[in-house]
mmCIF file of all heavy atoms in Angstrom:
data_model
loop_
_atom_site.group_PDB
_atom_site.id
_atom_site.type_symbol
_atom_site.label_atom_id
_atom_site.label_comp_id
_atom_site.label_asym_id
_atom_site.label_seq_id
_atom_site.Cartn_x
_atom_site.Cartn_y
_atom_site.Cartn_z
ATOM 1 N N ASN U 16 94.500 96.773 97.915
ATOM 2 C CA ASN U 16 93.074 96.493 97.695
ATOM 3 C C ASN U 16 92.188 97.656 98.127
ATOM 4 O O ASN U 16 91.166 97.470 98.795
ATOM 5 C CB ASN U 16 92.656 95.231 98.454
ATOM 6 C CG ASN U 16 93.087 93.961 97.760
ATOM 7 O OD1 ASN U 16 94.038 93.946 96.973
ATOM 8 N ND2 ASN U 16 92.392 92.864 98.043
ATOM 9 N N THR U 17 92.586 98.841 97.727
ATOM 10 C CA THR U 17 91.863 100.033 98.149
ATOM 11 C C THR U 17 91.655 101.013 97.005
ATOM 12 O O THR U 17 92.551 101.224 96.182
ATOM 13 C CB THR U 17 92.614 100.754 99.282
ATOM 14 O OG1 THR U 17 92.839 99.841 100.360
ATOM 15 C CG2 THR U 17 91.799 101.928 99.809
ATOM 16 N N VAL U 18 90.470 101.594 96.961
ATOM 17 C CA VAL U 18 90.173 102.646 96.002
ATOM 18 C C VAL U 18 89.847 103.898 96.808
ATOM 19 O O VAL U 18 89.268 103.817 97.895
ATOM 20 C CB VAL U 18 89.003 102.262 95.066
ATOM 21 C CG1 VAL U 18 87.717 102.059 95.860
ATOM 22 C CG2 VAL U 18 88.815 103.328 93.998
ATOM 23 N N PHE U 19 90.252 105.048 96.284
ATOM 24 C CA PHE U 19 90.070 106.307 96.992
ATOM 25 C C PHE U 19 89.242 107.290 96.176
ATOM 26 O O PHE U 19 89.179 107.209 94.952
ATOM 27 C CB PHE U 19 91.425 106.962 97.285
ATOM 28 C CG PHE U 19 92.382 106.086 98.031
ATOM 29 C CD1 PHE U 19 93.335 105.335 97.351
ATOM 30 C CD2 PHE U 19 92.347 106.011 99.411
ATOM 31 C CE1 PHE U 19 94.229 104.528 98.031
ATOM 32 C CE2 PHE U 19 93.235 105.208 100.113
ATOM 33 C CZ PHE U 19 94.177 104.466 99.420
ATOM 34 N N LEU U 20 88.645 108.210 96.877
ATOM 35 C CA LEU U 20 87.966 109.323 96.235
ATOM 36 C C LEU U 20 88.387 110.580 96.973
ATOM 37 O O LEU U 20 87.953 110.818 98.102
ATOM 38 C CB LEU U 20 86.438 109.174 96.284
ATOM 39 C CG LEU U 20 85.672 110.305 95.590
ATOM 40 C CD1 LEU U 20 85.932 110.263 94.084
ATOM 41 C CD2 LEU U 20 84.174 110.192 95.871
ATOM 42 N N GLN U 21 89.252 111.349 96.340
ATOM 43 C CA GLN U 21 89.685 112.614 96.909
ATOM 44 C C GLN U 21 88.701 113.680 96.482
ATOM 45 O O GLN U 21 88.497 113.902 95.287
ATOM 46 C CB GLN U 21 91.091 112.966 96.413
ATOM 47 C CG GLN U 21 91.613 114.309 96.910
ATOM 48 C CD GLN U 21 91.854 114.339 98.399
ATOM 49 O OE1 GLN U 21 92.432 113.407 98.954
ATOM 50 N NE2 GLN U 21 91.392 115.397 99.060
ATOM 51 N N MET U 22 88.092 114.329 97.440
ATOM 52 C CA MET U 22 87.092 115.349 97.158
ATOM 53 C C MET U 22 87.583 116.697 97.662
ATOM 54 O O MET U 22 87.821 116.869 98.857
ATOM 55 C CB MET U 22 85.758 114.989 97.806
ATOM 56 C CG MET U 22 85.212 113.632 97.375
ATOM 57 S SD MET U 22 83.553 113.304 98.030
ATOM 58 C CE MET U 22 83.931 113.154 99.780
ATOM 59 N N ASN U 23 87.735 117.632 96.745
ATOM 60 C CA ASN U 23 88.181 118.971 97.086
ATOM 61 C C ASN U 23 87.078 119.978 96.802
ATOM 62 O O ASN U 23 86.142 119.702 96.062
ATOM 63 C CB ASN U 23 89.433 119.343 96.282
ATOM 64 C CG ASN U 23 90.605 118.435 96.554
ATOM 65 O OD1 ASN U 23 90.787 117.951 97.665
ATOM 66 N ND2 ASN U 23 91.432 118.216 95.534
ATOM 67 N N SER U 24 87.216 121.138 97.387
ATOM 68 C CA SER U 24 86.248 122.218 97.178
ATOM 69 C C SER U 24 84.821 121.736 97.361
ATOM 70 O O SER U 24 83.946 121.981 96.529
ATOM 71 C CB SER U 24 86.430 122.819 95.773
ATOM 72 O OG SER U 24 87.740 123.315 95.598
ATOM 73 N N LEU U 25 84.594 121.060 98.440
ATOM 74 C CA LEU U 25 83.277 120.482 98.695
ATOM 75 C C LEU U 25 82.203 121.549 98.827
ATOM 76 O O LEU U 25 82.440 122.639 99.350
ATOM 77 C CB LEU U 25 83.320 119.622 99.947
ATOM 78 C CG LEU U 25 84.012 118.269 99.754
ATOM 79 C CD1 LEU U 25 84.340 117.640 101.094
ATOM 80 C CD2 LEU U 25 83.121 117.347 98.928
ATOM 81 N N LYS U 26 81.032 121.195 98.352
ATOM 82 C CA LYS U 26 79.877 122.069 98.379
ATOM 83 C C LYS U 26 78.754 121.405 99.159
ATOM 84 O O LYS U 26 78.714 120.183 99.271
ATOM 85 C CB LYS U 26 79.402 122.357 96.947
ATOM 86 C CG LYS U 26 80.466 122.905 96.020
ATOM 87 C CD LYS U 26 79.943 123.013 94.601
ATOM 88 C CE LYS U 26 81.008 123.533 93.655
ATOM 89 N NZ LYS U 26 80.507 123.627 92.258
ATOM 90 N N PRO U 27 77.823 122.199 99.682
ATOM 91 C CA PRO U 27 76.700 121.610 100.419
ATOM 92 C C PRO U 27 75.941 120.570 99.596
ATOM 93 O O PRO U 27 75.450 119.587 100.158
ATOM 94 C CB PRO U 27 75.820 122.822 100.730
ATOM 95 C CG PRO U 27 76.801 123.939 100.861
ATOM 96 C CD PRO U 27 77.807 123.671 99.764
ATOM 97 N N GLU U 28 75.855 120.764 98.290
ATOM 98 C CA GLU U 28 75.152 119.823 97.440
ATOM 99 C C GLU U 28 75.877 118.490 97.285
ATOM 100 O O GLU U 28 75.336 117.553 96.701
ATOM 101 C CB GLU U 28 74.864 120.419 96.054
ATOM 102 C CG GLU U 28 76.083 121.030 95.382
ATOM 103 C CD GLU U 28 76.145 122.533 95.550
ATOM 104 O OE1 GLU U 28 75.968 123.012 96.694
ATOM 105 O OE2 GLU U 28 76.363 123.240 94.554
ATOM 106 N N ASP U 29 77.091 118.401 97.809
ATOM 107 C CA ASP U 29 77.820 117.144 97.805
ATOM 108 C C ASP U 29 77.391 116.252 98.963
ATOM 109 O O ASP U 29 77.816 115.099 99.051
ATOM 110 C CB ASP U 29 79.329 117.387 97.893
ATOM 111 C CG ASP U 29 79.886 118.066 96.652
ATOM 112 O OD1 ASP U 29 79.447 117.726 95.536
ATOM 113 O OD2 ASP U 29 80.776 118.928 96.804
ATOM 114 N N THR U 30 76.579 116.785 99.841
ATOM 115 C CA THR U 30 76.098 116.024 100.987
ATOM 116 C C THR U 30 75.311 114.809 100.520
ATOM 117 O O THR U 30 74.345 114.932 99.776
ATOM 118 C CB THR U 30 75.211 116.896 101.886
ATOM 119 O OG1 THR U 30 76.001 117.956 102.442
ATOM 120 C CG2 THR U 30 74.627 116.078 103.024
ATOM 121 N N ALA U 31 75.744 113.649 100.956
ATOM 122 C CA ALA U 31 75.111 112.405 100.544
ATOM 123 C C ALA U 31 75.812 111.234 101.212
ATOM 124 O O ALA U 31 76.859 111.392 101.838
ATOM 125 C CB ALA U 31 75.183 112.242 99.024
ATOM 126 N N VAL U 32 75.228 110.081 101.054
ATOM 127 C CA VAL U 32 75.893 108.852 101.455
ATOM 128 C C VAL U 32 76.668 108.388 100.235
ATOM 129 O O VAL U 32 76.098 108.244 99.151
ATOM 130 C CB VAL U 32 74.896 107.760 101.891
ATOM 131 C CG1 VAL U 32 75.640 106.460 102.191
ATOM 132 C CG2 VAL U 32 74.127 108.213 103.124
ATOM 133 N N TYR U 33 77.939 108.178 100.399
ATOM 134 C CA TYR U 33 78.794 107.763 99.295
ATOM 135 C C TYR U 33 79.050 106.270 99.354
ATOM 136 O O TYR U 33 79.450 105.740 100.390
ATOM 137 C CB TYR U 33 80.114 108.532 99.332
ATOM 138 C CG TYR U 33 79.972 109.947 98.841
ATOM 139 C CD1 TYR U 33 79.294 110.899 99.604
ATOM 140 C CD2 TYR U 33 80.493 110.336 97.604
ATOM 141 C CE1 TYR U 33 79.127 112.198 99.148
ATOM 142 C CE2 TYR U 33 80.335 111.638 97.146
ATOM 143 C CZ TYR U 33 79.656 112.559 97.917
ATOM 144 O OH TYR U 33 79.496 113.856 97.463
ATOM 145 N N TYR U 34 78.826 105.618 98.227
ATOM 146 C CA TYR U 34 78.961 104.174 98.135
ATOM 147 C C TYR U 34 80.079 103.765 97.188
ATOM 148 O O TYR U 34 80.279 104.375 96.141
ATOM 149 C CB TYR U 34 77.665 103.540 97.637
ATOM 150 C CG TYR U 34 76.479 103.738 98.539
ATOM 151 C CD1 TYR U 34 75.639 104.837 98.391
ATOM 152 C CD2 TYR U 34 76.183 102.808 99.534
ATOM 153 C CE1 TYR U 34 74.536 105.018 99.217
ATOM 154 C CE2 TYR U 34 75.086 102.977 100.363
ATOM 155 C CZ TYR U 34 74.265 104.082 100.193
ATOM 156 O OH TYR U 34 73.170 104.254 101.016
ATOM 157 N N CYS U 35 80.753 102.722 97.549
ATOM 158 C CA CYS U 35 81.777 102.118 96.722
ATOM 159 C C CYS U 35 81.162 100.915 96.016
ATOM 160 O O CYS U 35 80.374 100.174 96.612
ATOM 161 C CB CYS U 35 82.952 101.684 97.603
ATOM 162 S SG CYS U 35 84.270 100.817 96.732
ATOM 163 N N ALA U 36 81.485 100.746 94.760
ATOM 164 C CA ALA U 36 80.937 99.636 93.988
ATOM 165 C C ALA U 36 82.027 98.958 93.171
ATOM 166 O O ALA U 36 83.033 99.584 92.819
ATOM 167 C CB ALA U 36 79.829 100.140 93.066
ATOM 168 N N ALA U 37 81.813 97.702 92.853
ATOM 169 C CA ALA U 37 82.803 96.946 92.106
ATOM 170 C C ALA U 37 82.155 95.991 91.115
ATOM 171 O O ALA U 37 81.040 95.508 91.322
ATOM 172 C CB ALA U 37 83.692 96.152 93.063
ATOM 173 N N ARG U 38 82.865 95.740 90.045
ATOM 174 C CA ARG U 38 82.465 94.734 89.073
ATOM 175 C C ARG U 38 83.696 94.207 88.374
ATOM 176 O O ARG U 38 84.576 94.983 87.986
ATOM 177 C CB ARG U 38 81.484 95.296 88.041
ATOM 178 C CG ARG U 38 81.087 94.254 87.006
ATOM 179 C CD ARG U 38 80.024 94.742 86.055
ATOM 180 N NE ARG U 38 79.763 93.761 85.012
ATOM 181 C CZ ARG U 38 78.834 93.870 84.074
ATOM 182 N NH1 ARG U 38 78.048 94.949 84.063
ATOM 183 N NH2 ARG U 38 78.677 92.939 83.165
ATOM 184 N N ASN U 39 83.749 92.914 88.216
ATOM 185 C CA ASN U 39 84.860 92.277 87.535
ATOM 186 C C ASN U 39 84.697 92.510 86.035
ATOM 187 O O ASN U 39 84.001 91.766 85.352
ATOM 188 C CB ASN U 39 84.883 90.782 87.854
ATOM 189 C CG ASN U 39 86.161 90.111 87.397
ATOM 190 O OD1 ASN U 39 86.796 90.543 86.441
ATOM 191 N ND2 ASN U 39 86.541 89.044 88.086
ATOM 192 N N THR U 40 85.347 93.542 85.555
ATOM 193 C CA THR U 40 85.234 93.901 84.147
ATOM 194 C C THR U 40 86.395 94.786 83.732
ATOM 195 O O THR U 40 86.981 95.488 84.558
ATOM 196 C CB THR U 40 83.906 94.631 83.867
ATOM 197 O OG1 THR U 40 83.855 95.025 82.492
ATOM 198 C CG2 THR U 40 83.792 95.886 84.727
ATOM 199 N N ILE U 41 86.679 94.776 82.462
ATOM 200 C CA ILE U 41 87.726 95.631 81.932
ATOM 201 C C ILE U 41 87.174 97.027 81.632
ATOM 202 O O ILE U 41 87.933 97.982 81.474
ATOM 203 C CB ILE U 41 88.333 95.009 80.648
ATOM 204 C CG1 ILE U 41 89.622 95.729 80.264
ATOM 205 C CG2 ILE U 41 87.323 95.070 79.504
ATOM 206 C CD1 ILE U 41 90.362 95.070 79.118
ATOM 207 N N LEU U 42 85.856 97.130 81.587
ATOM 208 C CA LEU U 42 85.202 98.387 81.271
ATOM 209 C C LEU U 42 85.047 99.285 82.489
ATOM 210 O O LEU U 42 85.185 98.851 83.633
ATOM 211 C CB LEU U 42 83.831 98.122 80.653
ATOM 212 C CG LEU U 42 83.811 97.247 79.406
ATOM 213 C CD1 LEU U 42 82.375 97.029 78.949
ATOM 214 C CD2 LEU U 42 84.625 97.890 78.294
ATOM 215 N N VAL U 43 84.733 100.546 82.235
ATOM 216 C CA VAL U 43 84.465 101.524 83.282
ATOM 217 C C VAL U 43 82.997 101.923 83.153
ATOM 218 O O VAL U 43 82.617 102.577 82.183
ATOM 219 C CB VAL U 43 85.368 102.761 83.155
ATOM 220 C CG1 VAL U 43 85.017 103.780 84.234
ATOM 221 C CG2 VAL U 43 86.825 102.369 83.263
ATOM 222 N N TYR U 44 82.195 101.535 84.116
ATOM 223 C CA TYR U 44 80.769 101.803 84.073
ATOM 224 C C TYR U 44 80.375 103.016 84.895
ATOM 225 O O TYR U 44 80.945 103.287 85.954
ATOM 226 C CB TYR U 44 79.987 100.587 84.565
ATOM 227 C CG TYR U 44 80.032 99.413 83.626
ATOM 228 C CD1 TYR U 44 80.779 98.279 83.935
ATOM 229 C CD2 TYR U 44 79.327 99.438 82.428
ATOM 230 C CE1 TYR U 44 80.818 97.195 83.074
ATOM 231 C CE2 TYR U 44 79.364 98.358 81.564
ATOM 232 C CZ TYR U 44 80.108 97.240 81.888
ATOM 233 O OH TYR U 44 80.143 96.170 81.030
ATOM 234 N N THR U 45 79.377 103.718 84.397
ATOM 235 C CA THR U 45 78.869 104.906 85.076
ATOM 236 C C THR U 45 77.425 104.723 85.524
ATOM 237 O O THR U 45 76.822 105.653 86.049
ATOM 238 C CB THR U 45 78.956 106.137 84.162
ATOM 239 O OG1 THR U 45 78.164 105.927 82.987
ATOM 240 C CG2 THR U 45 80.403 106.389 83.750
ATOM 241 N N ILE U 46 76.881 103.539 85.324
ATOM 242 C CA ILE U 46 75.513 103.240 85.702
ATOM 243 C C ILE U 46 75.522 102.293 86.892
ATOM 244 O O ILE U 46 76.171 101.249 86.857
ATOM 245 C CB ILE U 46 74.743 102.617 84.521
ATOM 246 C CG1 ILE U 46 74.735 103.582 83.335
ATOM 247 C CG2 ILE U 46 73.321 102.252 84.926
ATOM 248 C CD1 ILE U 46 74.114 103.009 82.078
ATOM 249 N N SER U 47 74.781 102.638 87.916
ATOM 250 C CA SER U 47 74.790 101.849 89.139
ATOM 251 C C SER U 47 74.391 100.397 88.921
ATOM 252 O O SER U 47 74.939 99.490 89.551
ATOM 253 C CB SER U 47 73.884 102.493 90.196
ATOM 254 O OG SER U 47 72.537 102.544 89.748
ATOM 255 N N GLY U 48 73.437 100.176 88.020
ATOM 256 C CA GLY U 48 72.950 98.834 87.757
ATOM 257 C C GLY U 48 73.985 97.900 87.163
ATOM 258 O O GLY U 48 73.791 96.685 87.153
#
């Protein structure tokens, strides 16, 4: 029950709060809403 995000070659512009999100769907969404 875990999802990962491997981040390589990090840049200063990657600085942020990173959030995990979920939705019961077969689709892959790229919009937060």
